[in-house]
Amino acid sequence: MNRRLFLATSAAAAFAQSVVSDSIKSLRSMMDGVQPITDAERRARVEKARRLMREQKIGALIFEGGASMFYFTGTRWTAGDRAFALVMPAEGELAWIVPETDEARARQAIKMGADVRTWTDGEGPYKRLAQALKGSGRIAIEEKTRFAVFDNL
């Protein structure tokens, strides 16, 4: 493609985009009336999950950063190579397992629960996870949780 053809094609494409049909112009936003998810709704989701966990005799559920953690808690954390985990017990307070180096950022990001347990590079996260899971009995692990977390418990 030479420069002249490129310029002609670009100009034609720009003109085509400026001519928008009436049906497209009359579209309304689908966001009108959409309400954000409230903390009460997230707490209800946690309680429903806990009820289902008790029915299945599951003592705790482990999450790492991602969609499920956000769905239940509203906490956004991109999964990385350093374990940032949530332990949701069937009974009791949520427990967060976070790298000590990320503690301040984690506390700002966490929307539910105040039990934040930090770990250092020297000790790793698995001792803290085990402490949070102690006495839980049967444990479930969210499907997106890395194998290393499962393997090291």
Side-chain angles (χ1 to χ4, degrees), residues 73-120:
T73 68
T75 300
R76 289 190 189 275
W77 197 273
T78 304
D81 60 337
R82 300 170 59 78
F84 178 95
L86 166 65
V87 174
M88 180 191 296
E91 306 281 341
E93 188 175 357
L94 301 174
W96 297 89
I97 313 303
V98 305
E100 186 176 69
T101 56
D102 292 330
E103 182 180 5
R105 188 168 66 104
R107 288 188 184 277
Q108 289 178 336
I110 292 170
K111 308 285 185 207
M112 296 175 69
D115 184 1
V116 177
R117 303 173 189 207
T118 61
W119 57 272
T120 63

Side-chain angles (χ1 to χ4, degrees), residues 3 7 10-11 22 41 47 51 63 65 83-84 94 97 100 103-104 122-124 126 137 139 142 149:
R3 179 189 246 164
L7 290 172
S10 298
D22 289 337
E41 183 175 343
E47 288 311 313
R51 178 181 53 80
F63 300 89
F84 178 95
L94 301 174
I97 313 303
E100 186 176 69
E103 182 180 5
E123 67 184 359
Y126 305 109
I139 299 165
E142 195 267 342
V149 174

Side-chain angles (χ1 to χ4, degrees), residues 7-153:
L7 290 172
T9 305
S10 298
F15 176 75
Q17 288 179 353
S18 69
V19 179
V20 178
S21 70
D22 289 337
S23 62
I24 299 296
K25 288 180 183 177
S26 67
L27 288 176
R28 303 245 188 287
S29 171
M30 293 176 62
M31 299 298 291
D32 293 342
V34 173
Q35 298 295 319
I37 298 169
T38 64
D39 289 344
E41 183 175 343
R42 291 196 193 282
R43 282 190 296 277
R45 290 174 179 182
V46 168
E47 288 311 313
K48 181 177 181 182
R50 287 177 163 172
R51 178 181 53 80
L52 295 170
M53 289 164 60
R54 288 188 296 272
E55 288 174 10
Q56 298 300 315
K57 299 189 181 359
I58 295 171
L61 180 54
I62 301 171
F63 300 89
E64 280 195 290
S68 294
M69 181 184 286
F70 180 72
Y71 176 83
F72 285 106
T73 68
T75 300
R76 289 190 189 275
W77 197 273
T78 304
D81 60 337
R82 300 170 59 78
F84 178 95
L86 166 65
V87 174
M88 180 191 296
E91 306 281 341
E93 188 175 357
L94 301 174
W96 297 89
I97 313 303
V98 305
E100 186 176 69
T101 56
D102 292 330
E103 182 180 5
R105 188 168 66 104
R107 288 188 184 277
Q108 289 178 336
I110 292 170
K111 308 285 185 207
M112 296 175 69
D115 184 1
V116 177
R117 303 173 189 207
T118 61
W119 57 272
T120 63
D121 288 332
E123 67 184 359
Y126 305 109
K127 182 177 179 182
R128 296 287 185 258
L129 265 170
Q131 290 169 344
L133 293 166
K134 189 173 183 175
S136 295
R138 200 165 145 207
I139 299 165
I141 300 176
E142 195 267 342
E143 66 180 330
K144 300 279 184 171
T145 302
R146 293 171 299 140
F147 178 74
V149 174
F150 162 79
D151 196 38
N152 284 289
L153 288 176

